[in-house]
Amino acid sequence: MATSPKLDAKIPDGPLETKWTKYRSTVPLVNPANKRSLEIIVIGTGLAGASAAATLAELGYKVKAFCFQDSPRRAHSIAAQGGINAAKNYQNDGDSVYRLFYDTIKGGDYRARESNVYRLAEVSGNIIDQCVAAGVPFAREYGGLLSNRSFGGTQVQRTFYAAGQTGQQLLLGAYSGLQRQVGAGNIAMYTRHEMLDVVMIDGKCRGIIARNLITGELERHFGHAVLICSGGYGNVFYLSTNAMGSNVTAAWKAHKKGAFFGNPCFTQIHPTCIPVSGDHQSKLTLMSESLRNDGRIWVPKKKDDNRPADQIPEDERDYYLERRYPAFGNLVPRDIASRAAKERCDAGYGVGTSKMAVYLDYYAAYERYGKGEVNKRGIHNASADQILQLGKAVVKEKYGNLFDMYKQITGEDPYQVPMRIYPAVHYTMGGLWVDYNLMTTVPGLYALGEANFSDHGANRLGASALMQGLADGYFVIPYTIGAYLASEIRTKAISTDHPAFVQAEKEVNDRITKLISIKGTKSPEAYHKELGKIMWDKCGMARNEQGLKEAIQEIRALKKEFWSNVKVMGDVDEFNPELDKANRVADFIELGELMCMDALDRNESCGGHFREEYQTEEGEAKRDDENYMYVSAWEYQGESQWELHKEELNYENIKIAQRSYK
Amino acid sequence: MEGNMNLTLQVWRQKNSRTEGRMETYQLSGISEDMSFLEMFDVLNEQLVHEGKDPVSFDHDCREGICGACSMYINGRPHGPLQGVTTCQLHMRSFKDGDTIVVEPWRAQAFPVIKDLVTDRAAFDRIISAGGYISVNTGNAQDANAIPVAKENADASFMAAACIGCGACVAACKNASAMLFTSAKISQLALLPQGEAERTARAKKMVAQMDEEGFGACTNTGACAAECPKGISMENIARMNREFFVAEIGTKD
Ligand SMILES: Cc1cc2nc3c(=O)[nH]c(=O)nc-3n(C[C@H](O)[C@H](O)[C@H](O)COP(=O)(O)OP(=O)(O)OC[C@H]3O[C@@H](n4cnc5c(N)ncnc54)[C@H](O)[C@@H]3O)c2cc1C
Ligand code: FES
C-alpha cells in the first residue's frame, strides 16, 4: 500500500526524538509587525480553540473567535471530569515521554501517526506548567505538590486532576486567558454565532459565513487562516455523553469544501455511563473513568439473578474484567471494557430493571480507604461500620461530585448500593484529516482538538483528549501556523464583498430558507432520534457488513424524508433553536452515511471499531495490519459520493504487536 | 406516554428584547418522574411543535450541572426547589402529580431577556475580561511543582473556582448583585501564590466593571449563596471586600 499522492503529512525528517525540536527552530517566523495585519478566525472556544485564540493573540495576530453558546466558558470541554495526562514522572514510577507516546499508540491500536503522538507526549509537561501558572487549582498532596491518579490503559500515575471537574478547571483557565485578550482588544469574541460555511478563494480558505443566533443575520468574516476547533461529533448517535449542542456542522462544512475526513467510523464508547432510563432520555451522563481506579465491576454469576446486589454473596459474583484481563483488571482500555460489558449483558447477566447494566462497586474501596484512615489516625479497635464511614469520607473527597450526580439522576444513593453503569457514545477519534502542521487538505484551513483525527488512532486513552486539545492550541499551532502565514504577509485583507463571500452567503441563505419552508410534519428532534437509533444499532459497539449496508440505505431514505417533511417552527430572522437544530441534524445525517461507509471499508477490528466478522476465538478485536494499517481520508465528491484516500502508517519506533491487556 | 404525572406549567413567553412578555399556561400529561426538568420541557416543546406553536426557548447544553447554561427561575427560586442542583439536574421526582409549576427567566437589569427564558449574561464575561485572570503568556511558565501550594489553600481555591457562572446568585438577590460571582473568581486567584502579583489591581478592576454593568449593591442577605447550585460560600464576598479594601488603601499612598 502506498500513501495517496493527495495526502502529504509533512512529517519532518530525522529521528523521532528530535523532529519537533528541529522543526520548531527551523519553521519560518512571521515578524511582529506583520503579525498585526494577519487575521485568524478560530471556530470554537473549548480547550483547543480558547488556548489557540489566546496564544495567537498574545503573539500579536488579530484573532476573531466564535462559539455558539452564550459564553466561551460553556464549551463542552467544561464537562470533562477525570483528568489530563502528562509525562511529568512526578510519581517516580517510571513514566517518560517515550512511555506516554508508547501507551497512546498502543492504546489507539496502532492506527495513529507516530510523529504527532510523540510531539503530543513531548509537550504534555508544558501544559501542566502553563495551567498551574494560569491559576488552575489542581488537586494537591499535603506537601503542597501536585497529586496524580491512574487511568485506564496505563500502569503509571500520570493523570492530573481537579476533583471530578478537571475539564471545568482547565477550560476556565484557558477562558480567562482568552478573556484577557478580549479585554485587551486583541480578540474579537463572537458568542451565540454559528459558523455555517467556509469561504474559498483561489484554492485557499479565506473566511467564513456565520449566523448570529440572536438576530438570525448572516455575517461574512475574512481571515488569512481559519482554525476549526469545533469539538467532536458523538451526537450523531443522538444519545451520547456530549453536550446537547455539540455538533459536526463546522467540520462538515469544511469537509464539503475540500477538507478530507479522517477515520470517521472511529468512535469511542465509554464503559461507565449511567444507563438509559426511558424514551424521554435526551443525553447520557458519564461516570468518570477514574472511578474504575477504585471501583470493581461485576455481574452475578447466575443468569437473570434478580436479588439486590447486597444479597449476592461474594462467590456468586463475576468480576469479569479481573477474570479476563488479570494484568490490567478494571483498568483495561475503554473499548475493551465496553465490549466486555455488552457481552455480559447480551448473554443475560445484566442487572437493573432493563438488564442492560453492570455494577460498579465501591464497597472494597470503602474498606481499604477506611483501614488506611484508621491507621493514619491511630484508632484502635475500630468497628467495621466506623471503617466504612471513614472510607466513604475519603471516597467523597475524591469523587464526591460524581456520586452526587449519580444520586441526582437515578434517585439511588451510590454510597449505599453499587452504581449501575452501561457503555455510551463518548468521543470521536475520527475528524478532519490534518498534516503535522494541523492543516487540513485545504490550504489555510486547520483543525484542532477533537475536531481533527490526529492522535488517538482507533481508541483514545482516558485523560488524553484534554491533553491533546491544549497541546494543539497552546503549543503546536502557534508554531506550525507560521509555516503558512509567513508566505501570506503580502495578502491584504480581502473585502467581504468578494463574489466568493457573496456566493457562500447565498448558499447558506438558500439552505436555511429551504429548511424553514418545508413545513412538514416531524420535528428536527424526531429525525435526530431516528438517525441515532440507526447508528447505535448498526454502527455502534459492534458492526457487521450486512448491518452497515442496511444502515446506509436507511440513512439515505431518512435524508430524503427529512428534506421533504421536516417541520421547523419559528422564523429565520430571530432567535430560533429549532432552526439551529435542523441545520445540525441535516449535517449529522450526511455524516452518518460516511461513517457507515468507512466502517464497511475497514474489514478488520481495531480499537473502538469492532467488526463482528473479525474477532479472535476469545472475542477480542482482530486487526489486519497487512491490509488496514492506514488512515482513511475521505474526499467529498458530491451527494453520497466519496473517494477514499489512504495514508499509510509507518511504525519505526514501536514494535507493533497484538494488543494485550491480559 | 412514559409516566403518569399531570402538570400545569406557567411559562414566561417573550418574543424578543423589544417586545413585552407574558405568562402562558400549558397542560402536560404523561410525565415520568425519571425525567429531568429540561426533558419535561422537551416534551412540552415537542407538543407545541405538534400543535404548530412556537416552542419555548431556553438555554441549556451540558445537562450535567457544569456548563452553567441552564437558568430557569422555578416557583420563585433560581434552579427550583432543591439545594445544590442546577435546573438540568432537577428531576421530576421532586414534583407531584397535579402540581402547577411557574417558570420564569432570570430577572436582572444586567441580564436582559433575549427570548422566553433566555437571557444575555455577557456581563459576566466582561467582568472576567476586566481582571479575572493571571497575566501569564503561553510559554512563560516554570515547572508546575516549583511552587508548592498548601493543600488547604489549593482546596479552598478550587471550591471558589467551582462557580459555573450561571447567574443564579444574581437572580436570587433582591438587588441583583453580582458579588458572589465576582468574589468567587477573586478568591480563587487570591488564594494561590500565582495570583499574588496582580492581586490588588484585579480586585479593583473587577469590582469597577461589576458596578459598570448595572449589578446592584450587596446587603449581605445571603440569598445568593443559599441558591448557588455549586455551594459557593459567602466567605468569598468577605475575602473580596478585604482585597478591595487593601487595594483602595494601596492606591492612596
Ligand atoms: C462527559 C465527558 C467527560 C470527559 N472527560 C474527559 C477527561 O476526563 N479527560 C479527557 O482528556 N477528556 C475527557 N473528555 C473528552 C474531552 O472533554 C473533549 O474531547 C475535549 O474537551 C474537546 O475539546 P475541544 O476544544 O476540541 O471541543 P469542545 O470543548 O467541544 O468545544 C467546541 C467549541 O466549538 C464551538 N462550535 C462548535 N460548532 C460550532 C459552529 N458551527 N460555529 C461556531 N462555534 C462552534 C462550540 O461553541 C465550542 O466552543 C470528556 C468528554 C465528555 C463528553
Ligand atoms: S445545562 Fe449545563 S449546567 Fe445545566
Side-chain angles (χ1 to χ4, degrees), chain A residues 303-379:
Chain A
K303 259 189 200 174
D304 294 319
D305 192 336
N306 288 321
R307 287 176 293 176
D310 62 355
Q311 285 171 29
I312 302 180
E314 195 57 32
D315 62 351
E316 292 178 38
R317 301 176 175 191
D318 177 14
Y319 295 91
Y320 57 87
L321 288 176
E322 298 168 32
R323 167 170 60 79
R324 285 177 66 178
Y325 308 98
F328 279 69
N330 292 295
L331 285 179
V332 290
R334 294 175 175 178
D335 51 340
I336 291 175
S338 289
R339 274 199 295 280
K342 178 178 184 325
E343 188 277 326
R344 283 292 81 189
C345 293
D346 288 351
Y349 296 91
V351 301
T353 36
S354 67
K355 298 284 172 203
M356 292 305 273
V358 300
Y359 287 127
L360 174 62
D361 197 335
Y362 258 69
Y363 195 83
Y366 299 145
E367 283 193 322
R368 180 161 44 82
Y369 283 121
K371 284 181 187 146
E373 284 301 298
V374 164
N375 287 340
K376 245 193 242 169
R377 299 177 190 198
I379 305 174

Side-chain angles (χ1 to χ4, degrees), chain A residues 140-298:
Chain A
R140 289 179 184 266
E141 303 294 346
Y142 282 100
L145 301 181
L146 293 160
S147 174
N148 289 114
R149 51 167 64 140
S150 44
F151 247 64
T154 65
Q155 288 170 318
V156 294
Q157 295 200 348
R158 65 160 73 101
T159 305
F160 295 79
Y161 64 99
Q165 287 152 254
T166 316
Q168 180 197 28
Q169 294 310 317
L170 293 174
L171 183 63
L172 293 181
Y175 156 80
S176 67
L178 172 87
Q179 289 304 130
R180 172 176 161 235
Q181 295 301 322
V182 171
N186 301 326
I187 297 179
M189 182 68 224
Y190 295 81
T191 59
R192 295 204 199 263
H193 273 67
E194 184 133 320
M195 180 201 116
L196 291 178
D197 213 347
V198 292
V199 178
M200 301 285 300
I201 297 176
D202 299 332
K204 289 178 174 172
C205 175
R206 292 300 190 192
I208 61 155
I209 305 296
R211 182 164 179 271
N212 177 328
L213 299 182
I214 298 180
T215 63
E217 256 169 289
L218 294 182
E219 299 171 2
R220 307 170 194 170
H221 295 273
F222 163 79
H224 287 89
V226 173
L227 318 186
I228 306 281
C229 313
S230 54
Y233 51 83
N235 276 346
V236 66
F237 291 88
Y238 185 72
L239 286 183
S240 83
T241 60
N242 290 9
M244 300 298 287
S246 297
N247 68 88
V248 76
T249 291
W252 196 249
K253 300 305 183 195
H255 173 55
K256 289 178 88 169
K257 285 284 167 84
F260 294 3
F261 212 104
N263 296 334
C265 84
F266 284 169
T267 316
Q268 176 160 84
I269 316 280
H270 196 294
T272 55
C273 302
I274 300 179
V276 174
S277 75
D279 283 343
H280 60 268
Q281 194 96 29
S282 60
K283 75 155 289 175
L284 293 168
T285 302
L286 174 74
M287 287 285 105
S288 167
E289 173 166 287
S290 56
L291 291 171
R292 282 200 276 144
N293 264 327
D294 286 316
R296 297 180 72 195
I297 294 179
W298 62 277

Side-chain angles (χ1 to χ4, degrees), chain B residues 38 59-70 86-89 164:
Chain B
L38 296 184
D59 265 327
H60 67 112
D61 200 17
C62 72
R63 296 202 176 188
E64 301 194 350
I66 194 75
C67 76
C70 63
T86 54
T87 305
C88 60
Q89 294 291 81
I164 58 174

Side-chain angles (χ1 to χ4, degrees), chain A residues 67-145:
Chain A
C67 71
F68 65 76
Q69 291 93 346
D70 68 324
S71 164
R73 67 180 292 146
R74 307 205 203 286
H76 166 59
S77 293
I78 200 91
Q81 302 173 350
I84 176 167
N85 288 332
K88 281 285 198 187
N89 194 30
Y90 283 161
Q91 304 308 323
N92 197 27
D93 56 359
D95 202 6
S96 65
V97 167
Y98 184 84
R99 202 180 283 276
L100 173 53
F101 156 75
Y102 176 86
D103 286 348
T104 308
I105 294 271
K106 176 184 172 197
D109 219 356
Y110 307 93
R111 292 293 176 265
R113 196 189 282 152
E114 273 195 342
S115 56
N116 287 51
V117 175
Y118 195 84
R119 174 178 65 189
L120 174 68
E122 269 183 291
V123 303
S124 65
N126 303 352
I127 297 172
I128 304 303
D129 300 344
Q130 183 64 30
C131 294
V132 166
V136 171
F138 283 118
R140 289 179 184 266
E141 303 294 346
Y142 282 100
L145 301 181

Side-chain angles (χ1 to χ4, degrees), chain A residues 373-511:
Chain A
E373 284 301 298
V374 164
N375 287 340
K376 245 193 242 169
R377 299 177 190 198
I379 305 174
H380 301 291
N381 317 321
S383 70
D385 190 55
Q386 199 180 5
I387 293 175
L388 268 190
Q389 292 316 321
L390 286 168
K392 283 180 186 175
V394 175
V395 167
K396 195 175 167 69
E397 183 180 335
K398 286 190 145 180
Y399 309 108
N401 71 318
L402 300 173
F403 277 54
D404 291 348
M405 192 148 79
Y406 183 87
K407 184 171 179 199
Q408 194 51 40
I409 291 174
T410 61
E412 289 174 5
D413 181 358
Y415 292 104
Q416 304 303 330
V417 294
M419 291 186 238
R420 288 173 295 110
I421 52 160
Y422 195 69
V425 174
H426 179 58
Y427 180 89
T428 47
M429 282 74 71
L432 295 174
W433 184 90
V434 290
D435 63 16
Y436 190 73
N437 294 334
L438 304 182
M439 200 193 297
T440 67
T441 46
V442 172
L445 183 62
Y446 292 79
L448 282 65
E450 193 173 338
N452 73 25
F453 89 104
S454 69
D455 298 344
H456 310 293
N459 172 58
R460 176 176 70 82
L461 289 181
S464 298
L466 301 180
M467 166 173 74
Q468 183 225 330
L470 289 178
D472 288 358
Y474 277 138
F475 296 107
V476 178
I477 196 73
Y479 290 97
T480 60
I481 204 166
Y484 178 72
L485 290 181
S487 58
E488 288 290 326
I489 50 178
R490 282 186 198 84
T491 309
K492 294 263 167 341
I494 298 173
S495 158
T496 53
D497 293 332
H498 187 285
F501 275 98
V502 177
Q503 178 61 24
E505 184 188 307
K506 182 176 175 303
E507 282 167 21
V508 171
N509 194 32
D510 288 351
R511 175 171 142 128

